[in-house]
Amino acid sequence: MPGQRDNSETPPPTLEALAALAAIELPGACEQGVRDNLALLASHWRNLEGFAIPGDAEHPE
Amino acid sequence: MSGALAAIAADVRGGRRSALALAEEAIARIRTRDGAVNAVTRLLADDARAAAAAIDARVAAGEDPGPLAGVPFGVKDLFDVAGLPTTAGAGMRREAAPAAADAVAVARLKAAGAVLVATCNMDEYAYGFATVNAAFGTTRNPHDPERLAGGSSGGSAAAVAAGMLPLTLGSDTNGSIRIPAALCGLYGLKPTHGSLPMAGVFPFVDSFDDIGPFAASAADLKLAWQVLGGSSGGAAAGGLKVARLGGWFARNADAELIAGIDAIAAHLGGIETVALPEVGRARSAAFLMTAAEGGALHLPELRARAMEYDPATRDRLIAGAMLPASAYFAAERFRGWFRAQAAALFARCDVLIAPAAGTVAPRIDDPAIMVDGQRVPARANLGIFTQPLSFIGLPVVTVPLKRPGMLPLGLQLVGPPGGEPALFALAEALEAAGLTGTDLPG
C-alpha cells in the first residue's frame, strides 16, 4: 500500500525524541504511562494500516 | 415517568405548582442523596431559588415562561455557567476565570423556563468512560453504589438516575452520554454531529464533540432536544425500516443484551440483521483522532504544568500530543470511507439497533471489562460499541432495556444524519410496548 510504513528496518523513535518533537519536558512520573499509551496508539495505527481502502491502489496519492 | 418534564411545566404554567417549591425539592433531594452518589460538584442553591422565584413571578404576571417552566436541571461541569469557573472536571481549573456568559445550550434551557440547580461530575477533560476523578472523586451508580456510573458524563446520568434532577446535560465525543445512560438505565441523546450548539462548552475533540440531554423517558428526552435546537417535526414508528447491527456489535455483548434485541426484533415482526464493515478499524481510527486532537488541544498546558493533571488523563493526552500526523491523516482518510459504508446501509434502513455498553456497570474496585477474551480497563474500553458511530457523526438515542430490579443494560437506536425524529418515534413505541423504560432505584 502506498505510504505504508515498513517497521522491519526502521527502529521506532525513542520516547525522548518524541518528547523533544512535541517540545514537552516529560516528567519522570509520566514516562511509563506515556509509553503504555503510545504502545496502545501504535497498535491502533497498525490495525488501521492493515486495511487498504478500496480504490487507493488505483489512485495512489 | 412518561412526559414528566411537560407535566411539571404544565403545572407551573398553570399556577398549580411553584417553581420555587420545585427548586427547593431538588435542592433537598441533592442534599439528602448525593453523599452516596457524588454526582454533583456544585449545588447552586441561591441562584436556583432566585431563578425559580423569577419564573413564579412571570406566571403571576400572566406570562408564559416556556415549555420547561420550573423544571430543575443540572449540567456537566464543562458547560459555561455565567459567574463560575468552567472546571471541565479538572482540579487545576478550580480557580479558572469565571465564565462571562452561559453556554448557549444552558441559555436555551433557561429561556424555556428551566432552573439550573447543579453542576455535575465527569472524567477530567471528558477523557474516560468511568467518572473516576482524582480531584472531584468517583461518581457511584445509583443502582449499585459499588459500581461505576459510566462516563465521562457520569455525574449528569447519576443525578437523574438517583431522582435528584429530572433533566441534565452531558457531552458525548466517543460515548460519554451513551455509556453512562446505559449503565444508569436512562435515556440519552447523542445528536447528529454539529446539530446542537457547542458555544460555551469546553472542547475535547472538535471532530466528534456533541452535547445532549439525559432524561427518564423518551418524551422527556425529545422535549429537551427540541428546546435545545432540535426539529419540532415528528416521525411515525409504524413505517420505519428497522434493522439490527450484527458482526462487531454482536460480539462482546452480554447474552441478556442480545436477548433484549431479540425481543424487540420479535415485537417488530422480525427485522433484518445488517453489518457495517471494518468496525474494529473504525474504533481504532476514532481512538487515534481522539488522542491526537485531545493531545494537541492540551499541549500548551501539558508543557506548562503536566503534573497538575489527573494522572489518568495526563499520560493519555501526552501520548496523543506525540502521535505522528501520519496516523491522524490515515484515520481521517479511513473515516471518509467508513462514513460512505454507513450511508449505504441507511439507504435501506431508517434505524439500526445495537448495544450501547456491552455489559452491566463494572465494579469500582474491579474497573475492567472483557473484550475478545482479554481483560481491559473499563475507563478506555467501555465505548467499543459507541466510538465507531460517533466517529462518523451519527445521531443515537440510548434506551434502557426494561428489566426491573436488575442492573441496567442499554441499547443504541442509530440513525442517519438528521434522523432524530425517527429515533424518538421508535424509542417512544418501544417504551409504550414495555420493552424499554426506566426503573429508577429506590
Side-chain angles (χ1 to χ4, degrees), chain B residues 282-306:
Chain B
R283 180 172 179 248
S284 285
F287 222 98
L288 292 168
M289 290 181 69
T290 297
E293 291 194 32
L297 175 72
H298 284 275
L299 184 54
E301 288 280 50
L302 290 167
R303 286 171 177 152
R305 45 180 186 156

Side-chain angles (χ1 to χ4, degrees), chain B residues 51-409:
Chain B
I55 297 292
D56 288 335
R58 291 184 63 189
V59 173
E63 297 177 25
D64 180 0
L68 293 176
V71 171
F73 77 102
V75 296
K76 186 177 184 176
D77 222 337
L78 50 55
F79 286 83
D80 281 355
V81 175
L84 296 180
T86 306
T87 72
M92 62 195 282
R93 289 186 53 83
R94 284 184 200 268
E95 307 301 326
D102 288 334
V104 170
V106 174
R108 286 185 182 176
L109 292 184
K110 287 182 175 179
V115 174
L116 179 63
V117 175
T119 59
C120 299
N121 201 15
M122 56 184 288
D123 288 297
E124 188 187 66
Y125 293 120
Y127 207 170
F129 292 120
T131 311
V132 174
N133 186 304
F136 298 98
T138 296
T139 294
R140 295 176 177 272
N141 193 312
H143 291 267
D144 178 350
E146 300 305 314
R147 293 178 184 270
L148 295 171
S152 63
S153 310
S156 297
V160 176
M164 293 188 274
L165 295 165
L167 171 66
T168 56
L169 294 183
S171 67
D172 187 315
T173 300
N174 283 298
S176 285
I177 288 173
R178 291 164 287 162
I179 295 300
L183 300 190
C184 291
L186 297 175
Y187 290 83
L189 170 68
K190 202 297 289 181
T192 301
H193 180 60
S195 64
L196 293 183
M198 294 297 297
V201 178
F202 198 97
F204 175 26
V205 179
D206 279 344
S207 292
F208 316 143
D209 286 345
D210 283 298
I211 60 147
F214 291 93
S217 72
D220 286 353
L221 195 75
K222 182 180 176 184
L223 176 58
W225 170 69
Q226 289 171 335
V227 167
L228 287 166
S231 158
S232 58
L240 295 176
K241 289 176 286 183
V242 181
R244 63 193 292 176
L245 279 169
W248 172 271
F249 293 93
R251 283 166 44 203
N252 297 308
D254 274 6
E256 292 171 90
L257 263 171
I258 300 302
I261 299 176
D262 289 344
I264 289 171
H267 172 75
L268 296 174
I271 58 176
E272 184 184 4
T273 299
V274 299
L276 266 171
E278 303 295 344
V279 183
R281 288 190 168 94
R283 180 172 179 248
S284 285
F287 222 98
L288 292 168
M289 290 181 69
T290 297
E293 291 194 32
L297 175 72
H298 284 275
L299 184 54
E301 288 280 50
L302 290 167
R303 286 171 177 152
R305 45 180 186 156
M307 296 309 289
E308 294 179 41
Y309 279 71
D310 185 333
T313 49
R314 177 195 63 210
D315 299 351
R316 299 181 81 184
L317 288 170
I318 292 175
M322 294 174 168
L323 192 65
S326 310
Y328 183 88
F329 287 115
E332 180 63 275
R333 279 172 57 78
F334 180 87
R335 186 161 74 136
W337 176 82
F338 188 66
R339 184 183 282 126
Q341 307 312 302
L345 267 189
F346 283 116
R348 54 193 178 99
C349 304
D350 300 306
V351 182
L352 302 172
I353 301 177
T359 181
V360 298
R363 290 184 59 83
I364 292 170
D365 62 4
D366 184 22
I369 59 172
M370 299 298 292
V371 175
D372 290 338
Q374 303 287 318
R375 271 175 62 83
V376 294
R379 184 186 181 100
N381 293 285
L382 271 168
I384 58 171
F385 299 133
T386 55
Q387 280 179 280
L389 303 171
S390 38
F391 173 58
I392 48 175
L394 302 178
V396 182
V397 168
T398 302
V399 299
L401 282 176
K402 190 72 175 171
R403 35 192 271 128
M406 303 169 76
L407 288 169
L409 290 168

Side-chain angles (χ1 to χ4, degrees), chain A residues 15 18-19 21-24 26-27 29-30 32-34 37-38 40-45 47-48 50-51 53-54 56 61, chain B residues 278 280-281 284-285 287-288 291 299 302-303 306-307 314-316 318-324 326-327 330-331 333-334 337:
Chain A
L15 187 62
L18 287 172
L21 188 63
I24 185 168
L26 198 59
C30 305
Q32 190 56 51
V34 172
N37 278 285
L38 281 170
L40 179 63
L41 292 174
S43 73
H44 282 300
W45 192 3
N47 188 31
L48 203 56
F51 175 69
I53 294 175
D56 269 9
E61 294 177 9
Chain B
E278 303 295 344
R281 288 190 168 94
S284 285
F287 222 98
L288 292 168
L299 184 54
L302 290 167
R303 286 171 177 152
M307 296 309 289
R314 177 195 63 210
D315 299 351
R316 299 181 81 184
I318 292 175
M322 294 174 168
L323 192 65
S326 310
R333 279 172 57 78
F334 180 87
W337 176 82

